[in-house]
Amino acid sequence: LLLYFSSSLFFFFSIFLLSVAFFLFVFSLFVLHKVHLHCTVSSTNQLTEAKPGNSSMADLQRVQQSPIPRVVCFGDSLTQRGCEGWLGHLAHAYQAKCDVINRGFSGYNTVWASALLPVVYPPPSTQLPAPMLTTIFFGANDAVRPESPNPVQHVSVESYREHLRGIIQHARTVGQAKHIIVIGPPPVDGPRWLEHSNRQFMRKDTFENRELGHTRLYSEAACAVASEEGVLFLELFESMQLAFDDWRSAFSDGLHFADLGNAYLGKRLLTLIRSQLPEISPKSLSLWQPDWQTQAAVDAKLSEGE
């Protein structure tokens, strides 16, 4: 009986030792695999790929988690309609590198625009970074003549100056926009706009509510405010009248840009960015996410290490 008991004890003890040994063996294999994978990823992360698009990865194992940079374009209908025009030119230049956001509001003047500032330029957060660049493009509606039959959009030059200043300061301090470009109002073809408005709204007005000489005052005011606030200014009023044999051909209805006007503004804006803000010009920025060739190469290298 004693012999049988001793044999049984030895058998179970042997089974226990074998189980412990097997567990330790499996655990050691797991640890070695982790160490090998860590070394592979570490060495891969030190690589900098120079692929098409001049992209580089902060983390070559997975796509970047940082929020995409933003360009916020704030303005009236000249901005709202810009998606297929000048703003589209800007978005095309920055494709896959940052978001170009249209915050244009048709018919708005600087007074009404000021009420939107908390929404357009909120304090930056982890998911909503401060704008890399913002354009502020108002004045075409502020410049409605005060003696017009319906002068509701009119804002005096003095009030325009102060509200434009307030928009700039809010974008800079609350929204923390890194760069600001003020775009001055373009010239306006008053007779053509009157004809278009009468046809569109079935009216028979005879008074031109917008006039070239009156709009000039707002262009000059925008230039002065931009200079006082130390931000860039893109002048359109004089330059557009000199850029074409007939500057009126740059407008579709006397007020809004035609293809020619959109192309002109898009080109002027990108030229200004390249010359005055070269650090954020499209060619200076890397792709927000790695291009597919870089990602494919990284995945292949990681697969080799598995």
Side-chain angles (χ1 to χ4, degrees), residues 127-191:
Q127 297 302 317
L128 192 70
M132 176 184 74
L133 170 68
T134 186
T135 60
I136 299 173
F137 190 7
F138 288 100
N141 296 315
D142 301 73
V144 166
R145 296 164 68 184
E147 62 270 30
S148 300
N150 184 19
V152 65
Q153 292 172 298
H154 168 74
V155 175
S156 70
V157 175
E158 294 74 20
S159 182
Y160 171 72
R161 287 174 59 101
E162 294 313 306
H163 282 92
L164 181 59
R165 188 188 312 279
I167 294 171
I168 294 170
Q169 291 178 351
H170 184 99
R172 176 193 290 137
T173 58
V174 179
Q176 297 182 30
K178 296 178 176 64
H179 301 286
I180 299 173
I181 297 176
V182 172
I183 305 175
V188 61
D189 183 354

Side-chain angles (χ1 to χ4, degrees), residues 149-270:
N150 184 19
V152 65
Q153 292 172 298
H154 168 74
V155 175
S156 70
V157 175
E158 294 74 20
S159 182
Y160 171 72
R161 287 174 59 101
E162 294 313 306
H163 282 92
L164 181 59
R165 188 188 312 279
I167 294 171
I168 294 170
Q169 291 178 351
H170 184 99
R172 176 193 290 137
T173 58
V174 179
Q176 297 182 30
K178 296 178 176 64
H179 301 286
I180 299 173
I181 297 176
V182 172
I183 305 175
V188 61
D189 183 354
R192 191 177 175 197
W193 173 246
L194 175 63
E195 178 186 350
H196 172 81
S197 298
N198 282 338
R199 184 170 61 253
Q200 181 178 10
F201 300 109
M202 295 183 291
R203 296 194 301 238
K204 296 182 180 180
D205 294 343
T206 58
F207 187 89
E208 297 173 15
N209 68 351
R210 288 170 169 82
E211 191 265 331
L212 192 64
H214 190 62
T215 300
R216 178 193 300 274
L217 302 177
Y218 292 80
S219 173
E220 294 171 349
C223 179
V225 171
S227 177
E228 292 163 6
E229 292 298 320
V231 299
L232 293 174
F233 179 68
L234 180 53
E235 190 275 336
L236 295 178
F237 185 83
E238 295 289 350
S239 61
M240 289 192 75
Q241 294 182 68
L242 298 173
F244 309 100
D245 293 336
D246 179 8
W247 64 267
R248 293 171 179 82
S249 64
F251 295 85
S252 62
D253 53 17
L255 177 64
H256 302 102
F257 296 127
D259 290 344
L260 189 63
N262 274 308
Y264 176 81
L265 175 52
K267 183 178 179 180
R268 284 281 310 279
L269 182 56
L270 285 169

